[in-house]
Amino acid sequence: MLFHTPKLPAEIRISHLNARVNEQRKKIAQTTASRFELLQLTQQLSKEARLRKKNNQKVYVLDFKGDTAASAVESLREEITLILTTAKAGRDRVVLRLESPGGMVHGYGLAAAQLVRLRDAGFNLTICVDKVAASGGYMMACIANEIVSAPFAVVGSIGVVAQVPNFNRLLKEHHVDFELYTAGQFKRTVTMFGENTAEGKAKFEEELQQTHELFKHFIEKYRPQLNVEKVATGEHWYGKDALELNLLDKLQTSDEYLLSLLAQHDVYVIDTRRKPTLGEKLGLQAAQMADGLVPAVMNKIMETLANSNSSLVQMRDPKL
């Protein structure tokens, strides 16, 4: 009998960015500055603290580093729930530092829906892109009131792609029959091992086009100033060109943007960490051992396929 071991609850850490930066500034000044310069810095920090208290505006900083499955959405949803239940919409702001090349449709659809919760609640949302926000990553970015990008960040790639290898001819050469049973005309459109029909391929392509249309309509809703038909070609652009196409609003690194907020806002960085269970730790050790075996196994597979005059292609579900 197998027993499911639940993951340990996530630990949400909140750090005051103003305090961290000011502490570093004081340490450097104590080493390099004169007494008069140190006094000036102390007075400046006190003035900034009074100004922040008077403005009473908070900025909450989140991070999303996306993989193919958008697995970081699990932390994102908890962090957004925390903000919605404690911060004040219309006064406080949210900044998301986003890095993602895109991935599975359903994963990034959920991630984008979490950001919509902030917009619907009335929060001003800024998304900063230092490296890449492409495809599903850009679908998340377009929800922001303002998109800030580093000059050489990759932005765009508004398209949908799917790759499916087919081993039907290889199976036939080895006299292996593959039988697939379904109920429903299009329960299965294309397969890895069966002989794909023209009708099945056409239906699969139709589904990709439908997903692309949903993608474009979503962007049009949250970024109406963008000519979606012009940029929804699957191409990507770097910062300056993306700015000219209205894919983003400002060229600036996330560090520069956050530093510009420190004098008048209390900036808090929210970080979610989940401690691995004992089973996960053991699994990690097993994975490390398996890493040494994978190359040998893959080489053997490639040799077998080469001898069969076949090629190995990675399979991909439809993804943004």
Side-chain angles (χ1 to χ4, degrees), residues 99-158:
E99 180 183 337
S100 174
M104 300 301 180
V105 175
H106 55 278
Y108 279 90
L110 178 58
Q114 297 300 325
L115 298 179
V116 170
R117 294 170 62 198
L118 291 170
R119 285 290 303 267
D120 288 348
F123 283 91
N124 183 287
L125 173 63
T126 298
I127 290 184
C128 295
V129 183
D130 285 329
K131 294 182 179 179
V132 57
S135 206
Y138 187 74
M139 184 170 70
M140 293 178 64
C142 75
I143 298 168
N145 300 93
E146 181 182 40
I147 302 176
V148 179
S149 167
F152 286 93
V154 176
V155 180
S157 189
I158 303 172

Side-chain angles (χ1 to χ4, degrees), residues 26 38 43 46 75 107-108 141 144 150 209 228 244 249 255 257 261 267 271 305 317 320:
K26 287 189 289 186
L38 185 58
Q43 293 174 340
S46 298
S75 298
Y108 279 90
Q209 293 297 335
V228 175
E244 294 176 354
D249 302 294
D255 304 291
Y257 180 77
L261 301 176
V267 181
D271 178 36
L305 291 174
D317 290 332
L320 299 171

Side-chain angles (χ1 to χ4, degrees), residues 149-192:
S149 167
F152 286 93
V154 176
V155 180
S157 189
I158 303 172
V160 186
V161 62
Q163 301 179 57
V164 183
N166 186 267
F167 300 98
N168 184 252
R169 285 185 296 174
L170 176 62
L171 294 177
K172 286 182 177 180
E173 288 176 5
H174 288 80
H175 307 290
V176 178
D177 293 328
F178 176 77
E179 297 180 356
L180 177 68
Y181 303 94
T182 63
Q185 182 182 2
F186 293 114
K187 179 61 180 177
R188 185 68 69 238
T189 53
V190 296
T191 73
M192 290 178 60

Side-chain angles (χ1 to χ4, degrees), residues 149-264:
S149 167
F152 286 93
V154 176
V155 180
S157 189
I158 303 172
V160 186
V161 62
Q163 301 179 57
V164 183
N166 186 267
F167 300 98
N168 184 252
R169 285 185 296 174
L170 176 62
L171 294 177
K172 286 182 177 180
E173 288 176 5
H174 288 80
H175 307 290
V176 178
D177 293 328
F178 176 77
E179 297 180 356
L180 177 68
Y181 303 94
T182 63
Q185 182 182 2
F186 293 114
K187 179 61 180 177
R188 185 68 69 238
T189 53
V190 296
T191 73
M192 290 178 60
F193 302 107
E195 185 173 356
N196 293 319
T197 64
E199 184 181 26
K201 293 177 181 178
K203 181 61 178 177
F204 189 66
E205 176 65 25
E206 178 186 334
E207 291 172 350
L208 292 183
Q209 293 297 335
Q210 289 174 345
T211 303
H212 192 206
E213 289 300 317
L214 288 173
F215 192 0
K216 292 191 293 184
H217 292 328
F218 187 86
I219 293 175
E220 286 175 337
K221 178 180 179 181
Y222 290 100
R223 199 164 181 84
Q225 69 270 39
L226 177 63
N227 184 344
V228 175
E229 291 300 328
K230 183 178 180 179
V231 298
T233 59
E235 299 171 84
H236 66 267
W237 293 268
Y238 292 106
K240 182 179 179 182
D241 293 333
L243 179 63
E244 294 176 354
L245 290 168
N246 285 326
L247 284 160
L248 49 92
D249 302 294
K250 183 190 299 184
L251 291 179
Q252 197 174 39
T253 65
S254 63
D255 304 291
E256 186 179 1
Y257 180 77
L258 290 177
L259 282 175
S260 70
L261 301 176
L262 291 180
Q264 300 187 36

